[in-house]
DNA sequence: TTGGTCTGGTGTAACGATGCACCAAGGTAC
DNA sequence: GTACCTTGGTGCATCGTTACACCAGACCAA
């Protein structure tokens, strides 16, 4: 109960509180080794732990990092939150968790509150095209790292973004299907009013064009605009898409690229409702590689995001002194295709050269990488 | 940037900082309405927000609640974390997220750190049979609510536990299978050195005995002791169990109760590896009702935990003044069976009376409820 | 000797909110 | 008129840490 204060440590070590403070904050260069020793052992003996509140009151800084995700209920965000906590812990920080539910208003409120609480920085997982609603806070010095949202042209200069290259991701997912001989492909997502969705969709188109297919002729599904966001709902989006695309009124796709694994799994569920077999009747590629992708029946082919690495990057960037950080730094990682059993060659198709290996494909991919 | 302080508000309202403080802390009874008004509008005009650090330094209290889960990477804990955050938000609190990875040492370190940071209380999701490693902190006044861990006889008096009745849960899961005519049942879990596991297993046994089956004659699986904990691994546990139970060396079960949904899904994956069909060749019941249970192919029959309600309870308990809270309060909620398609009647079995409806079953269930 | 520089420290005023102890003014009882 | 409440509100020390400004003493060069 009785807290040990810096004064008690100072008394025990026979120095002034200032010296203990200097020691604690690494200003140890102007200090004779013997003094350093005495302070160190006094701290150990008394079991002293600095009082965070006092420290924060003085410095205006915490060791807390704010994390805003759409919803930790979504396994992808849950996994990311865990990785971020691991990385933060290694850097001596804590993570304050906030679920935005993809509501820009909540997002704004949370960021504001975190800022007022003096967090070191905020890792914001959002897919809103604009950061205007946060512009004033960023101006006032908020350290913001966005995740899963590539930098946009008009983003404030100090914002760092960490993301996979969605264009490339969409491309390799789609090329995998065209390699397997699929010619009728659909891209399934709820709304494409988000950054990563547009990127992935562009990759989808690029891949089709690389094998002379016209995106415009592909089966389209643009339903459920009434539920533009929401994560738990993304599975419902997939399911609904499957039911609609296979309702017999149009020529259905043989291959599908889903915006994320939850949507892909929902889509698989919808296929099953229609009596179709995933990986046999229809090939499905997901996105994210959540833990359940591998567990599913059949295991889901998907595009993996290297979340552990991305979480580590997010932490180092968020803790970086603004002065030593190049402005507008945008990290774009290359995603990786994980082939499992939800995709297979279209019946009777000759094995084709991998698009990714072909000349046109390589050119298209290179162009995608550069965006 | 420039923070508005209580002094500025006081100046604007023409009162002393003390009065503003009194206003802020509800000591409004000794204050003439006009004064109250002036303070209120000064706060609004200046956009004043109290400084948390200063307040905490003075009072030693935060509005932060610590949440320790095994791992938010597990969809069940992710979903719970989200619900808890919703409930905390409604109570004006924030949630600090910690992943214990089921390591008692980390658990201890986190609780200690949270306590030192002055959190209002800690919601600890653990399944350790003992809280000894936290005893001294609890003695010193830590407000602790455990989740998913029914109260134990020798728990410190001030600890509140919120959990489902695992015995009942195990019972209804198992009875569902015996109702369907299954007579060879297995209980699958990694290690049973955790509280909820023993409870669920007891329910499994009670249900078997209620229909005159002997738990001792059931196919057993007790492998992977080397991985006693870990959440991502629980799927691996299930998968391994399926591979082992169906390796041809013993008479395999026709129905399985898994310790949780992740294990159940892993088990389904293992069945598939063995060429068996879930819900046809083998019936599987999970536990938790994570979002993926409904998405799986086939959708998983499972025992639902009412996490939203439990999260709400956890928050009210954790914020309750220790003086007005009965000691040792233990909330035991009744779980609910959700029947989907991973379970079906055993071939050729006559429809039997539901055990739960039978006299013996009712008696057994009543006994289970009372523990 | 004087002045200057370096080394190894220390004194002290904040940071912003809190809440106890106190007080002035007005009312009331006898 | 005095003693005593009550009402409405204020003064001020305090929480624990920080970091700037300062200082004493040693050392050295001219």
């Amino acid at each position: 109960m009785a807290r040990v204060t810096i004064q008690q440590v100072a008394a025990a070590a026979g120095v002034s509180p200032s010296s203990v403070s200097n020691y604690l904050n690494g200003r140890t260069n102007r200090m004779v080794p013997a003094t350093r020793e005495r302070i160190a052992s006094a701290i150990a003996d008394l079991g002293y732990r600095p009082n965070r509140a006092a420290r924060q009151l003085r410095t205006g800084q915490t060791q807390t990092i704010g994390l805003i995700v759409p919803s930790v209920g979504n396994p992808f965000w849950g996994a990311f939150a865990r990785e971020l906590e691991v990385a933060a812990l290694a850097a001596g920080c804590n993570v304050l968790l906030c679920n935005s539910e993809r509501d820009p208003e909540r997002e704004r409120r949370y960021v504001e509150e975190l800022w007022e609480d003096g967090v070191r920085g905020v890792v914001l997982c959002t897919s809103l095209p604009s950061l205007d609603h946060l512009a004033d806070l960023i101006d006032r010095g908020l350290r913001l790292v966005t995740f899963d949202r590539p930098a946009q042209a008009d983003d404030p200069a100090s914002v760092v973004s960490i993301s996979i290259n969605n264009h490339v991701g969409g491309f390799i997912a789609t090329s995998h299907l065209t390699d397997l001989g699929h010619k009728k492909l659909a891209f399934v997502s709820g709304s494409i009013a988000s950054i990563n969705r547009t990127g992935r969709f562009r990759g989808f188109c690029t891949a089709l064009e690389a094998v002379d297919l016209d995106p415009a002729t592909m089966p389209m599904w643009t339903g459920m605009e009434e539920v533009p966001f929401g994560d738990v709902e993304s599975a419902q989006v997939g399911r609904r898409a499957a039911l609609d695309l296979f309702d017999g009124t149009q020529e259905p796709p043989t291959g599908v690229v889903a915006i994320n694994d939850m949507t892909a799994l929902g889509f698989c569920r919808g296929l099953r409702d229609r009596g179709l077999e995933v990986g046999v009747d229809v090939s499905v590629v997901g996105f994210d590689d959540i833990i359940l992708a591998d567990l599913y029946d059949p295991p889901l082919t998907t595009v993996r995001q290297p979340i552990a690495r991305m979480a580590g990057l997010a932490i180092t960037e968020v803790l970086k002194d603004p002065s030593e950080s190049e402005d507008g730094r945008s990290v774009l990682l290359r995603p990786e295709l994980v082939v499992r059993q939800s995709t297979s060659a279209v019946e009777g198709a000759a094995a084709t050269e991998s698009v990714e290996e072909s000349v046109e494909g390589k050119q298209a991919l290179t162009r995608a990488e550069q965006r």
Side-chain angles (χ1 to χ4, degrees), chain A residues 210-240:
Chain A
V211 293
D212 292 324
L213 289 172
D214 181 2
T217 66
M218 294 295 147
M220 288 300 284
W221 182 82
T222 52
M224 291 189 89
E225 290 300 335
E226 72 278 14
V227 189
F229 291 121
D231 265 292
V232 171
E233 293 82 12
S234 47
Q236 301 308 324
V237 166
R239 190 172 185 177
R240 177 67 174 279

Side-chain angles (χ1 to χ4, degrees), chain A residues 188-190 197 233-239 241 258-268 284:
Chain A
V188 169
S189 93
R197 293 181 195 214
E233 293 82 12
S234 47
Q236 301 308 324
V237 166
R239 190 172 185 177
I259 189 66
N260 60 41
D261 284 347
M262 290 300 282
T263 302
L265 296 181
F267 193 88
C268 292
V284 177

